[in-house]
Amino acid sequence: MRNVTARSLLLLVAASLLIAGCQAPTQEPEPTSEPVVQPAPEPTAPPTPPEPSVSITSGGDVRVDLTGTSGEELLNGTFYFDFDQAIVKRSGFQMLNKHASALNIDRSLKLRLEGHADERGTREYNIALGERRANAVRSYLVARGASRSQIEVISYGEEKPAVLGGGETSWSQNRRVELNYRR
Amino acid sequence: MKRFVLYLALLSAGQLVFAELRIEVTEGVDNAVRVAVVPFAIRGRSVPETNIRDVVDADLTLSGRFETLPIGQMLSLPSSGDDVFQRDWQLLKVEYLIMGNVSLAEDTLGDKAVVVTFELYNVFRGVVEATQTISGSREDVRDLAHHISDVVFEELTGIRGVFATQILYVTASGPVGDRRFRLNVADADGYRVQTLLESREPIMSGTWSPTGDEIAYVSFEDDGRPGIYVLDIGTRRSKRVAQFEGINGAPAFSPDGRQLAMVLSRGDNPDIYILNRETNRLRRVTRHYLTDTEPSWTPDGRYIVFTSDRGGKPQIYQVALDDLSLERLTFEGDYNARASMLPGGQSIVMVHRRNDVFHIALLDLIRGRLMVLTETELDESPSVAPNGSMLIYATQERAGGPGILAAVSIDGGVKFRLPSSEGDVREPAWSPVKRKTFVPR
């Protein structure tokens, strides 16, 4: 049962909550209507094998429990690039593998890859550079089993800096691809 | 920022007036012509809205080619050549006088309500070199004044004036995560700012149609996705003309206005396409696995000049639209981008990186000579005035500071800055035509 949808997980959680007699688990407040799936508390229902789970935060990040046992992890969704480069850094591989797994586990997940550049160079050329970066991340995720149809690429070039101002400290934080999930 | 909230408003003309751009001349010509713009005599009822004399005086001063005499130093205030005592002006070394009178017609609300007669007087020779009578509505007073500046400028320099033109530009304000983008248009002197479009998502690459009736731009207003839109200035209506997967960018009207060049990546890599605006058909004109972007038409409409990194680094190429043959135009430096051709077709202006600094440069295609025109840093988006003698571009107030506009003459002799109090200003585009034209009586 690899393709567990969030909805069935939610039902499972809801059912277990009912049986547990409204013993609500502590949930952090979420200012959103997005379904928040917490790891199922010890099910009082017939024991089921551990299931991987995936949920999206209001900020468009993703939480996963890849094994169903080790607890949730909020996946880092920002990957940085070198100047004028669109090569995914080795240091990001491990985290990207987890994103690929999340996309693989839950095929209803939609991922938007937002490519960005620093302010140096012309604006439309930077749009192209941002897209190249996002495409590189997409290729990596697809090679790791995500479906290309789950992924949308949008480049904002230098139009949406993470940090305003000049100098390498700002620029290095602006050369990035942000992963933004939705359903 | 990740919630894809969209706020979009099309604002009607003059509804909002934002902080205006202010022009500061940073470098003028050494042999500036000394002129005096005399306060215009008022005949009959007064016209309170705008002081024509001050607008003309500011225009000429800000061109960097004239030195104007303050009113306080004038010994007399003639309004026509008949009233001039030449010695008054010879003493002050004034070479030319601009003077005239304003009157209000019977129909004070009509489109010929304000009547202006002006003269350009040569002090040395003691003759009137040019005179016109023009009229317009009460809202047109600034336009009438810019018309006078244009006539005077052309008489004295031989170059067509651009005081009556406009500048389109984009502003961004507010903190990261709560940015507001605006597409604005202002008179060339920075006055009468109008906001054409406001959005929480980026607006980019605004450009004029050859007649000045339409503006094409890129907006991310549709759920964060880029699209190319064409705005009709008259009706203030926008129409989306392209929204393909991936990049939709860098629109550029053909010289006849019938076609729109653009950059589309269509899920792959960016190439140059041409949209026929009558048939709505797309034609692909470049095909390369690296980046082709920033198309710009040659004045004859037969070529498109563009940026490509097919050679490893961004350089300027041109493609012939009949057989799609390619020619590389730039070889000096490792970053040349966003080129546009001057009206004569013999030179291009572009962004050029030298010693890690981005400047605006002029490349003479006949002699192969490259001249860096600007001394500021992170310069981009050069846009040439319709008379081909000035260009406006975007730069920074200081390193890491807010974006501002600046202008430089094509010979590098005159330089200005146009600081604004309204956040970041970028991507200026000089209008190809005047805001209003007046036919002299």
Side-chain angles (χ1 to χ4, degrees), chain B residues 26-306:
Chain B
T26 45
E27 193 178 323
V29 296
D30 295 332
N31 51 345
V33 179
R34 278 178 67 82
V35 300
V37 188
V38 182
F40 279 43
I42 292 169
R43 300 264 163 85
R45 282 164 294 181
S46 72
V47 185
E49 285 86 357
T50 303
N51 187 331
I52 288 179
R53 182 262 163 207
D54 289 351
V55 176
V56 175
D57 190 282
D59 280 345
L60 297 178
T61 305
L62 295 175
S63 74
R65 294 171 191 265
F66 297 93
E67 199 181 323
T68 61
L69 188 76
I71 297 175
Q73 291 180 26
M74 296 178 188
L75 303 172
S76 53
L77 300 176
S79 63
S80 85
D82 303 336
D83 312 335
V84 174
F85 292 101
Q86 275 168 274
R87 273 190 52 195
D88 285 358
W89 307 99
Q90 284 163 346
L91 279 171
L92 296 162
K93 296 195 169 58
V94 168
E95 297 165 76
Y96 293 91
L97 296 181
I98 295 120
M99 56 199 165
N101 64 72
V102 188
S103 62
L104 207 53
E106 283 300 311
D107 178 10
T108 59
L109 298 176
D111 58 5
K112 296 207 182 313
V114 180
V115 183
V116 185
T117 299
F118 67 93
E119 292 180 4
L120 171 65
Y121 183 86
N122 182 325
V123 175
F124 180 72
R125 292 172 50 210
V127 295
V128 173
E129 294 206 340
T131 179
Q132 283 186 6
T133 297
I134 48 176
S135 58
S137 76
R138 294 175 77 132
E139 285 73 44
D140 294 341
V141 176
R142 288 199 81 89
D143 303 286
L144 291 164
H146 291 316
H147 173 91
I148 297 170
S149 305
D150 280 342
V151 171
V152 169
F153 190 84
E154 182 161 357
E155 284 288 331
L156 298 185
T157 66
I159 302 166
R160 204 151 51 90
V162 287
F163 301 109
T165 57
Q166 293 175 288
I167 308 289
L168 177 73
Y169 57 96
V170 173
T171 67
S173 53
V176 164
D178 190 24
R179 298 284 269 175
R180 287 286 192 294
F181 298 88
R182 292 191 180 94
L183 183 65
N184 285 353
V185 64
D187 286 6
D189 63 358
Y191 282 81
R192 293 196 292 192
V193 177
Q194 297 166 45
T195 294
L196 303 172
L197 177 73
E198 182 172 344
S199 173
R200 282 180 180 271
E201 295 290 345
I203 300 170
M204 290 178 71
S205 303
T207 186
W208 297 86
S209 72
T211 54
D213 297 328
E214 294 174 303
I215 285 168
Y217 59 92
V218 174
S219 168
F220 290 75
E221 68 199 43
D222 180 23
D223 192 25
R225 292 185 181 93
I228 298 172
Y229 298 76
V230 173
L231 171 85
D232 182 308
I233 301 259
T235 64
R236 298 287 166 126
R237 292 242 171 90
S238 267
K239 187 179 160 220
R240 189 165 71 205
V241 297
Q243 191 176 50
F244 295 91
E245 184 189 350
I247 294 172
N248 296 261
F253 288 98
S254 61
D256 65 5
R258 291 190 181 144
Q259 303 181 85
L260 191 66
M262 59 182 67
V263 175
L264 303 173
S265 65
R266 306 180 82 169
D268 193 2
N269 64 282
D271 281 308
I272 313 285
Y273 291 77
I274 294 175
L275 176 71
N276 181 320
R277 302 184 63 206
E278 281 143 29
T279 63
N280 226 18
R281 288 180 69 152
L282 267 182
R283 178 187 176 202
R284 184 176 187 163
V285 295
T286 71
R287 187 183 295 272
H288 193 275
Y289 63 91
L290 289 170
T291 298
D292 293 340
T293 187
E294 300 171 333
S296 145
W297 299 75
T298 56
D300 60 12
R302 292 169 55 208
Y303 299 86
I304 281 180
V305 173
F306 65 100

